[in-house]
Amino acid sequence: NKEFDKFDALQARVFMAKNENLEFILPNFKSKKMYLRDFCHPALNECKPINLEWDKDVLIITGVNAGGKTMLLKSILSSAFMSKYLLPMKIRENSIIPHFKEIKPIIDDPQNVKNDISTFAGRIKEFKEVFNKENVLIGVDEIELGTDANEAASLFKVIIEELMKKNRIVITTHHKRLATLLATHEEVELLAAIYDEKNQKPTFEFIKGTIGKSYAFETALRYGVPENIVQEAKKVYGEDKENLNELIEKSTTLEREMRLKIAKIDDELKSVENLKEKLEDEEFRLQEVH
C-alpha cells in the first residue's frame, strides 16, 4: 500500500505539472551555484518572476522598504524546498538548484509570553540549532530584529562567519553596519533592492554588489504620513546620515545606469555580429556564383 501511495503522489505531481505548465528541477549534488530563471513563488497569483545567480556562501539583501527583499528570501528557500521534495514549480527548465540536507527559515517573530521568550532570545535559540549542522540553507529575515542594531551587527558577523564554514545563508537587513562588516569577505555577496526615484516606488528588481538605502522616509510619505512629520524626522535623523544615504543612492543609481548601458551595448554588438555573419555569407555566396 505504501508503494501505491508513493506512486499516486508522484503521478499527481506529474499531472499538476502538465496541467499548469510547471517544471521539475532536481537537486544538483555537484554544483554550488543557485541559478533561478523566471521563478515564481507558489503563494503568489501575480508575481514578478525572479532571476538570480548566487554561488557564494552568504547573500545579504538590503534596500528599500516593501521592495521585495523578504519575498526574494522566501523564493530562494521555497525553490530549494520544492526541488528537494520533487514538487513542480513555475520556473524555466535551465535553472540550477543545489542540494541541501535541510532548509532552515528564521523568519517569524518567536516572542512568546507563555514561555518567557523575547524576540532576540527566540532568534538566538534558532541559530543555536544549526551550529552543529552542515549543508543547511539558512534564511534570516530582518536579522537584527529584537535588539540593539550595532551590538547585533557585531554578534551576527561572528555567528555568520562561523555558520558559513559549512552552510549557505541568505539574510535580509535594513542595517548597513552588518552588511559593511561582511562586505569585504570573498564569500559574501551583496544584493540591493532598487527604488525608482522618478516614480517614487520600488521596482522589485535587484542589483548586485552594493548596499541599498532603506527609503524609510519615502515609504512613510507613500503610505500617508504627513509631509511635515517626515521633514521633522529627517532633521532628527541628521544631515550627515542623510548625506551618506544620498551617496549610497547615487552609487546604486549610477551602477544601475551603467548596467543598462552595458546591456544596450551588448545588444548592439550582437546586432553588428549578426549583420557581419550575414554579409560574410552573402560574400561567400557571390564568390561561388562567379
Side-chain angles (χ1 to χ4, degrees):
N1 285 340
K2 287 182 180 179
E3 295 307 312
F4 279 116
D5 290 343
K6 186 186 292 185
F7 177 80
D8 285 344
L10 292 172
Q11 189 179 46
R13 293 173 194 182
V14 171
F15 286 158
M16 180 182 176
K18 285 183 176 180
N19 289 337
E20 300 185 22
N21 196 27
L22 306 177
E23 296 285 345
F24 292 98
I25 304 293
L26 297 177
N28 192 312
F29 285 80
K30 295 181 180 179
S31 177
K32 179 182 176 182
K33 185 175 185 177
M34 177 172 274
Y35 190 64
L36 300 182
R37 281 288 170 263
D38 293 338
F39 174 78
C40 281
H41 192 285
L44 298 177
N45 292 323
E46 296 180 9
C47 93
K48 187 165 188 174
I50 285 171
N51 292 283
L52 174 77
E53 291 184 37
W54 174 39
D55 57 4
K56 296 188 177 181
D57 291 331
V58 178
L59 179 64
I60 301 179
I61 309 166
T62 61
V64 59
N65 294 281
K69 296 190 301 298
T70 298
M71 186 48 66
L72 176 60
L73 178 137
K74 289 181 178 179
S75 294
I76 292 169
L77 298 184
S78 297
S79 66
F81 181 89
M82 296 170 84
S83 174
K84 181 177 177 64
Y85 292 103
L86 198 65
L87 296 171
M89 61 186 105
K90 190 171 183 181
I91 194 170
R92 276 191 8 215
E93 61 182 6
N94 61 337
S95 299
I96 300 170
I97 301 174
H99 166 71
F100 297 101
K101 285 184 180 178
E102 188 180 333
I103 295 136
K104 174 69 174 175
I106 304 176
I107 293 175
D108 297 327
D109 186 343
Q111 189 176 90
N112 191 319
V113 177
K114 291 181 181 178
N115 298 329
D116 194 26
I117 294 288
S118 69
T119 297
F120 181 68
R123 280 289 179 94
I124 291 299
K125 285 185 70 175
E126 290 188 278
F127 273 102
K128 186 191 75 172
E129 293 175 8
V130 289
F131 269 116
N132 296 319
K133 296 182 179 181
E134 61 181 53
N135 195 26
V136 178
L137 176 60
I138 306 164
V140 192
D141 192 30
E142 300 292 357
I143 190 166
E144 294 97 340
L145 190 68
T147 192
D148 178 83
N150 288 323
E151 289 183 15
S154 302
L155 175 64
F156 284 123
K157 175 188 182 292
V158 179
I159 288 176
I160 288 163
E161 286 176 337
E162 182 62 29
L163 289 174
M164 68 190 284
K165 292 176 183 177
K166 296 180 180 179
N167 305 284
R168 306 280 297 280
I169 310 165
V170 187
I171 298 159
T172 71
T173 180
H174 284 290
H175 298 285
K176 300 172 187 71
R177 186 160 183 263
L178 177 62
T180 304
L181 288 172
L182 288 167
T184 55
H185 198 293
E186 62 181 11
E187 279 300 322
V188 173
E189 186 169 308
L190 299 174
L191 205 62
I194 299 171
Y195 187 76
D196 184 345
E197 281 288 326
K198 184 178 179 181
N199 296 308
Q200 295 289 297
K201 64 180 182 179
T203 64
F204 304 106
E205 294 174 355
F206 299 86
I207 191 165
K208 274 188 177 184
T210 187
I211 298 171
K213 180 183 168 185
S214 292
Y215 290 95
F217 300 127
E218 292 81 354
T219 302
L221 283 171
R222 198 167 76 248
Y223 285 98
V225 174
E227 187 173 351
N228 64 310
I229 292 177
V230 173
Q231 292 302 326
E232 189 64 30
K234 283 185 177 182
K235 291 178 184 177
V236 173
Y237 182 66
E239 187 178 337
D240 58 332
K241 291 180 181 177
E242 186 58 26
N243 287 340
L244 176 61
N245 273 336
E246 286 179 11
L247 285 172
I248 291 170
E249 177 192 317
K250 286 178 183 177
S251 173
T252 306
T253 302
L254 286 171
E255 187 165 351
R256 185 187 179 197
E257 288 173 356
M258 181 190 71
R259 295 193 182 202
L260 288 171
K261 286 178 182 177
I262 289 171
K264 185 180 178 182
I265 290 168
D266 286 342
D267 288 340
E268 290 174 353
L269 185 60
K270 284 179 184 177
S271 298
V272 170
E273 287 174 349
N274 290 335
L275 180 60
K276 182 184 174 184
E277 286 179 9
K278 286 180 181 178
L279 290 171
E280 287 174 349
D281 290 341
E282 183 66 18
E283 182 184 11
F284 181 75
R285 188 185 67 77
L286 289 171
Q287 286 174 355
E288 282 189 329
V289 169
H290 297 288

